[in-house]
Amino acid sequence: MQEKQRAFLVRTAYWAVWAVLLWLGVRYLLRWLLPFLLALALAAAVEPVIAWCRRRMGLKRGFTAAVVTIAVTGAILALAAVIVWQLIRQAAELLGQLPGLLAGLPGMTEDLRQRLEDFCAACPQGLRSWLEEVPALLGTLAAGAAQRASGACITAAAALAAA
């Protein structure tokens, strides 16, 4: 029995050391190694395409690799441009809808207050008093957050318009 326990403890310590090393690697080394890991993944992903082009078209490896790399880079940049365009479009739509959304905020907090009152009708007194304070606190926090968010959106829109 002692030998099984000892083997279990050694195995557990072994895997714990590996877990700590993995965590340290992810925590401290990943930010430095990420560009190289991404480049390695990209190279591994385009290698079958390069080999196929060499077999089918008889092109040299360097030329084929350059053409495929340029095509993949162009596709990544096009995807990034589409994402940025959609982000700008949706931010502009949100800015257009923001006054209506902010106007409905007091009604939403009143609806939340009514739901909480209905919910805690049978609650103990301590929980009831805490829940009665929550809507006012949420209303104050939401109004402040909406004010900061709208200010940031307007600043960002002005910066984009100036650029």
Side-chain angles (χ1 to χ4, degrees):
M1 190 62 156
Q2 287 286 32
E3 189 61 35
K4 285 184 179 181
Q5 288 177 345
R6 183 173 180 263
F8 172 76
L9 289 175
V10 167
R11 211 172 322 127
T12 304
Y14 174 79
W15 286 111
V17 166
W18 273 111
V20 167
L21 289 175
L22 178 67
W23 179 79
L24 287 172
V26 168
R27 172 98 168 117
Y28 296 108
L29 294 178
L30 187 62
R31 79 173 60 159
W32 303 107
L33 294 178
L34 189 60
F36 301 105
L37 294 175
L38 289 175
L40 179 66
L42 181 64
V46 299
E47 179 60 33
V49 176
I50 293 171
W52 181 80
C53 287
R54 286 185 62 211
R55 272 194 317 269
R56 292 286 186 174
M57 297 179 212
L59 300 173
K60 291 187 176 185
R61 179 175 177 76
F63 176 75
T64 306
V67 169
V68 170
T69 302
I70 290 171
V72 169
T73 303
I76 290 172
L77 290 176
L79 180 64
V82 167
I83 290 172
V84 167
W85 177 254
Q86 288 295 320
L87 182 67
I88 291 171
R89 186 185 61 77
Q90 290 180 7
E93 286 180 18
L94 177 64
L95 284 174
Q97 295 174 356
L98 196 59
L101 293 173
L102 292 177
L105 193 60
M108 289 174 51
T109 57
E110 186 57 40
D111 183 47
L112 179 62
R113 178 186 299 274
Q114 183 61 42
R115 286 184 184 194
L116 282 175
E117 286 175 3
D118 293 344
F119 175 73
C120 72
C123 292
Q125 183 59 34
L127 181 60
R128 184 180 304 165
S129 64
W130 181 78
L131 286 175
E132 287 173 354
E133 295 172 6
V134 168
L137 178 63
L138 285 177
T140 305
L141 291 175
Q147 183 180 8
R148 286 189 301 274
S150 64
C153 288
I154 290 171
T155 303
L160 286 174

